Structures are given as structure tokens and as C-alpha cells.
Amino acid sequence: MNRVKLMLIAALVALMVSAAWGQTGSVKGFVKGIDGKPVVGAVVTLLDKTSGHKYELKTDKNGNVFSLGINGGVYEITVTQNGQPIFQAGNYQVKMGDENALEIDLQKAAAQQAAQMTPEQKKAIEQQQNEKNKVKNLNDMLAQARAANEAGNFDQAKQIMTQAVAIDPNREILWFQLAEAQRNVAIKSTDASEKKTGLTEAVDSYNKALRLVPNTKPEVMGAIYNQMGEAYSRMGNMDEAVKAYDSAASSDMPNAGKYYFNEGAILTNAGKYDDAIKAFDKCIQADPTKADAYYQKGVNLLGKATMKPDGTMNAPEGTAEAFNKYLELDPNGKYADGAKQMLASIGAKVETTYGKQKSAPKKK
């Protein structure tokens, strides 16, 4: 190949590169935030929906962006920061062979958008902002009330939540937290009349929470009914307490065992042994692995024991089985020694096979 041919090839390559370069342009500009300061680390995405070309540019520490080799076309621009979109616009044209300016000023954009809004649109945005501010305020009040409750400042928590439900009476979480504060204030009170009044207020607030909670939140309904049952029991209204615990169990069936156990506990404390045994049976049916339910059932059965003429104890049927089942499920549990003593008191044996595995068959 002679020198003339080489020169022709070189010229052709130069023309091809020049032609290809002429089909692209560069983009240079900046992104300023709503506060007028540079937006650092934002991602500026250019998308040509016609051709599918897509480019992502990242702002530097001064909010600047720059890129070569952007295909000519009309692009849609999206700016995201921390994964959230903060600006979007269409019809950004990249001209081939030129340096195209890209100046994004969120402050100016917001002002221009506001100027173009109708009064109705401005009012809608103002309402949205007011709602956002209200929600933030309520979340702050919830946090303050919870902190006050944890610190034992129940009166302060009650005051905060009373203000919260006045701001927005249509949120179940606010009524629930108010009820908790009211219940805690009542429990702390040494005055019988104040205690009853406070617990009555708490039950009323729990009911208001229940009327607002969505059916898609069964665990929330269960929790509210559970606390209501406890409040009723402290009022001495055992019938309503049992209804509340039963409602908790039917509302939140995966946790039914827990609610029936609590029902059995308050009935035991009230000396209602037959009803307590029924509650613990329901707990066992809902959760056969709940060891404490067997122990408490045994305790209540033992409370119905009579004395034989020879001075030994005559325990109702099922007492020994209940204590031994507890030992089977939790042989080293907190009630293990008590269960063994109860068994000894009624002359029953401790089943020594509980907690042990059967030996493997011998190899031949």
C-alpha cells in the first residue's frame, strides 16, 4: 500500500469520526435546591422516550453536572436525591455538536409553578401541607406521651393525648394511647371514686379506638380488647372483662391463647375457679404448647379439692394430669418445683418420662 492510499484511508477515518461526533452533544449545568443551595450527589436522568437512550449524571460537591457524548434528541429530565424524585420536566433538547446548558433551579421552578396555579390548586396544596404538619405534630405528641408513660408521668401523658384527640378525633392510635394513659392514672390513684371514674374513661376511649380501627388490623383490635378486659377487671366488672377477652381472641385468632390466658388469670384472682378452668381450657385448645396454662389450670382444680376422712386431699379429676403436662412442656420452668409439690400434696406421682427421649433400638 503506497503513501497516497494511506493518506486517503486516514482522511476517511477522520471524516467518519467527525460524522459520528457530530451526532452527539455535551451537557453542562447545575442543580440548585429549594433553599438556593447546590444539590450535592443528586442523580440527573435524561430519557429519550422515542429512541430509548438514557443517561444518568451525578452532581458534584458544587451541584454541577457535565457529560460528553449525549445523543441528540428531546429528553425527559428527572432529578432524584436519596432515591426520591425532586424535579421532573420534559422537552429538554440536546443539539448535536453543541454544549447544551442544563440549569435546574428548584426555587425558581416552585415559584413559576405557584404563579401558574389556580386558586383551587393553591388551596389544595395548602390543605396538603397543613395535613402534613398536623400529622407531624401528632407523631411528636405520641412520642412525648409514650416517653411520659415510660417515665411514670401518667398525668402528663393523659394531658398530651387529650390534646391530640381534640386535634384529630379520627385516629384509633390516639384514642388507644389516651386510654392507656387514663388507665395508668386510675391505677395509680388511691381514691376509689377517682379510680373507678378513670377506668370508666379508659374503657370509653378504648371503645372509640375500636370503632375507628380497620378490620385489616386484627392484632390491633386484639390488643385494644385485651387492655379493655384488664380495665374492666380492675373495676370489678368480671362479666364485661370476660366479654372483652373473648372478643380479643375472636378478633385476633393467632394470639387467642394469650388472651384466654389473661382471662383465666383475672378469673383466678377473682376466685372464680370454674370459670378460670374453662378459660385455661380455651387457652390450651388455642395453644396446646402454652405450659403455664396447664399449671394454672391445675392450681384452680386444686382450689376445688376436698379432704378425705383420713386427712388426705381429694383433688378433682385432671389435676395431676395438668401439673404433669406442665412438667412435660417445661421441666425446668419457674413453676416446676411448685408443680412437683402440688403433685406430692395430692399423693400423685411425677411422670419421670417427661422431657426424656426414648432410647434408640439396638443394632442387631
Side-chain angles (χ1 to χ4, degrees):
M1 188 178 294
N2 57 35
R3 187 178 177 186
V4 174
K5 288 184 179 180
L6 285 172
M7 289 177 66
L8 286 171
I9 291 172
L12 286 171
V13 169
L15 285 171
M16 290 170 63
V17 170
S18 176
W21 184 255
Q23 293 176 6
T24 65
S26 62
V27 170
K28 182 179 181 181
F30 60 82
V31 180
K32 285 184 180 179
I34 198 74
D35 56 0
K37 297 179 181 179
V39 178
V40 180
V43 176
V44 180
T45 303
L46 279 69
L47 174 63
D48 185 338
K49 290 187 175 181
T50 303
S51 66
H53 291 132
K54 181 179 177 181
Y55 304 91
E56 290 188 347
L57 319 179
K58 194 169 185 180
T59 59
D60 62 17
K61 63 181 180 179
N62 297 312
N64 296 324
V65 290
F66 178 74
S67 180
L68 296 168
I70 305 292
N71 282 308
V74 179
Y75 289 83
E76 180 181 272
I77 300 172
T78 304
V79 182
T80 56
Q81 187 177 35
N82 300 322
Q84 298 297 319
I86 59 174
F87 176 84
Q88 192 168 26
N91 299 321
Y92 174 67
Q93 188 170 10
V94 173
K95 295 180 180 179
M96 297 180 291
D98 286 349
E99 182 178 88
N100 298 272
L102 179 62
E103 299 177 357
I104 299 173
D105 189 327
L106 301 185
Q107 197 175 64
K108 288 183 178 179
Q112 290 171 357
Q113 185 180 21
Q116 295 170 359
M117 285 182 185
T118 65
E120 291 77 14
Q121 289 173 326
K122 289 180 179 178
K123 185 177 179 181
I125 289 178
E126 184 180 353
Q127 289 175 340
Q128 289 175 359
Q129 188 61 48
N130 289 340
E131 181 66 19
K132 188 182 294 185
N133 292 338
K134 183 178 77 172
V135 170
K136 183 182 182 304
N137 186 31
L138 291 173
N139 282 330
D140 290 343
M141 295 175 80
L142 271 172
Q144 292 167 13
R146 285 168 176 159
N149 261 325
E150 290 174 5
N153 300 325
F154 305 130
D155 289 300
Q156 182 186 357
K158 178 180 175 181
Q159 182 180 5
I160 293 170
M161 293 315 302
T162 300
Q163 294 172 354
V165 296
I167 293 172
D168 189 343
N170 298 311
R171 297 180 188 272
E172 76 275 4
I173 184 63
L174 302 182
W175 285 108
F176 179 71
Q177 289 300 325
L178 173 60
E180 291 288 273
Q182 290 168 328
R183 184 176 62 88
N184 287 331
V185 169
I187 291 171
K188 186 180 70 172
S189 177
T190 57
D191 183 276
S193 178
E194 288 182 1
K195 187 183 292 288
K196 184 176 181 180
T197 299
L199 290 169
T200 302
E201 289 177 346
V203 167
D204 182 59
S205 295
Y206 284 131
N207 273 313
K208 287 177 179 176
L210 284 169
R211 286 195 287 270
L212 292 168
V213 67
N215 292 329
T216 54
K217 294 182 178 180
E219 70 285 354
V220 175
M221 294 183 71
I224 296 172
Y225 275 122
N226 181 70
Q227 297 300 88
M228 185 189 294
E230 199 267 351
Y232 271 127
S233 71
R234 288 183 179 273
M235 294 167 66
N237 192 338
M238 303 309 292
D239 290 340
E240 290 299 326
V242 168
K243 287 180 183 178
Y245 284 121
D246 285 346
S247 295
S250 60
S251 299
D252 183 16
M253 295 185 69
N255 292 306
K258 176 177 69 175
Y259 304 129
Y260 285 133
F261 184 88
N262 291 343
E263 180 180 315
I266 60 109
L267 290 168
T268 299
N269 293 335
K272 295 179 174 291
Y273 302 126
D274 289 332
D275 291 335
I277 291 166
K278 292 177 183 177
F280 288 123
D281 279 337
K282 289 189 290 186
C283 172
I284 290 166
Q285 184 177 5
D287 183 2
T289 66
K290 195 168 182 64
D292 287 2
Y294 294 96
Y295 178 81
Q296 295 298 338
K297 176 183 177 180
V299 168
N300 279 279
L301 284 169
L302 202 57
K304 293 162 57 68
T306 57
M307 298 300 294
K308 297 178 182 178
D310 61 0
T312 59
M313 192 176 291
N314 182 27
E317 184 180 351
T319 305
E321 289 81 358
F323 287 127
N324 272 310
K325 186 64 177 178
Y326 169 81
L327 291 170
E328 175 188 351
L329 292 169
D330 197 0
N332 299 310
K334 60 182 178 179
Y335 299 125
D337 290 339
K340 292 172 185 177
Q341 291 170 11
M342 300 290 188
L343 286 167
S345 71
I346 61 176
K349 293 182 179 180
V350 176
E351 297 290 345
T352 56
T353 57
Y354 288 156
K356 296 182 179 180
Q357 293 181 345
K358 295 181 179 179
S359 58
K362 295 181 180 180
K363 295 181 180 180
K364 293 182 179 180

